């Protein structure tokens, strides 16, 4: 089955700096890669996703890059703000299956 | 759009009782819903996939007689934790997938279960 690894487990940045979270996956059949933000006591919220036919996708301060050859994808948050503080999860999935394989999560702390 | 609700948000029960958690897609039809379990500071663990009108598919190691799943309509799935024990205490999260379209899953806000 698929194995998704996520690094780092914790990340602390100063407000205004950029934050990068990286994930690797093992199954070359995976072709859908969403990123979720989870605040304490709440369910995950989709913040951005990318499909394998695209190498990069951007939405305002958030961007995701995908390297299919190396089987890794990254989340980039620019101009971080304190409200970006949360736990971020990456996931991998295929179009044929419903299963999402989640990374272990990254706790992002943006210091004012 | 694409809102998923869960009820209750928090429940405390005594050991040996059963607890039912509801997951609803409020503004879309969901052929498939998923149930996850999350321990503190850990990732989401898929428990089962629930398809409308058919039996749920459970992940390896998840007891289907312990965690009963019913997906009676395109907008409602329920998870019943039977004969709950303290080790069942956890954060339970559901998600729903559009009936048609892409692979995106929308998550509910979660239910915190505490078994005394």
């Amino acid at each position: 089955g698929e194995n998704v690894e996520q690094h780092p487990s914790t990340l602390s940045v100063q407000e205004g700096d950029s934050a990068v979270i990286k994930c690797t996956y093992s199954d070359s059949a995976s072709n859908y890669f969403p990123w979720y933000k989870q605040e304490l006591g709440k369910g995950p919220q989709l913040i951005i996703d990318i499909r394998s036919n695209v190498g990069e996708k951007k939405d305002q301060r958030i961007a995701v890059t995908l390297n299919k050859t190396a089987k890794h994808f990254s989340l980039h948050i620019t101009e971080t703000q304190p409200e970006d503080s949360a736990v971020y999860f990456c996931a991998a999935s295929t179009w044929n299956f419903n299963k999402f394989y989640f990374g272990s999560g990254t706790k992002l702390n943006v210091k004012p | 759009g694409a809102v998923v609700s869960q009820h209750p948000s928090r429940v405390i029960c005594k050991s040996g009782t059963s607890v039912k958690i509801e997951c609803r897609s409020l503004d879309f039809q969901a052929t498939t819903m998923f149930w996850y379990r999350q321990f503190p500071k850990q990732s989401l663990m898929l428990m089962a996939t629930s398809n409308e009108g058919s039996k749920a598919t459970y992940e390896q190691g998840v007891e289907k007689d312990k965690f009963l799943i019913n997906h009676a309509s395109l907008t409602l799935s329920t998870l019943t934790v039977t004969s709950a024990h303290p080790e069942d205490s956890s954060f339970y999260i559901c998600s729903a997938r559009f009936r048609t379209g892409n692979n995106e899953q929308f998550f509910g806000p979660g239910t915190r279960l505490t078994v005394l």
Side-chain angles (χ1 to χ4, degrees), chain A residues 38 46 51 93 98 103, chain B residues 38 43 59 97 102-104:
Chain A
Q38 186 178 29
L46 178 71
R51 289 166 174 77
S93 179
N98 291 318
Chain B
Q38 186 178 34
S43 189
E59 294 300 299
R97 183 182 174 209
N102 61 32
N103 203 22
E104 191 171 344

Side-chain angles (χ1 to χ4, degrees), chain A residues 13-75:
Chain A
V13 299
Q14 206 66 40
E15 181 178 2
D17 289 348
S18 295
V20 180
I21 303 171
K22 299 181 179 181
C23 287
T24 61
Y25 62 99
S26 61
D27 190 350
S28 57
S30 291
N31 53 17
Y32 175 66
F33 308 93
W35 284 89
Y36 290 88
K37 176 183 180 182
Q38 186 178 29
E39 297 177 338
L40 190 64
K42 298 183 179 180
Q45 295 293 313
L46 178 71
I47 55 172
I48 196 167
D49 58 11
I50 191 167
R51 289 166 174 77
S52 61
N53 59 346
V54 176
E56 184 174 356
K57 183 177 178 181
K58 190 174 182 179
D59 183 4
Q60 298 183 347
R61 297 187 297 111
I62 295 173
V64 56
T65 58
L66 171 65
N67 184 325
K68 286 177 58 180
T69 303
K71 296 195 190 72
H72 66 70
F73 55 112
S74 300
L75 176 71

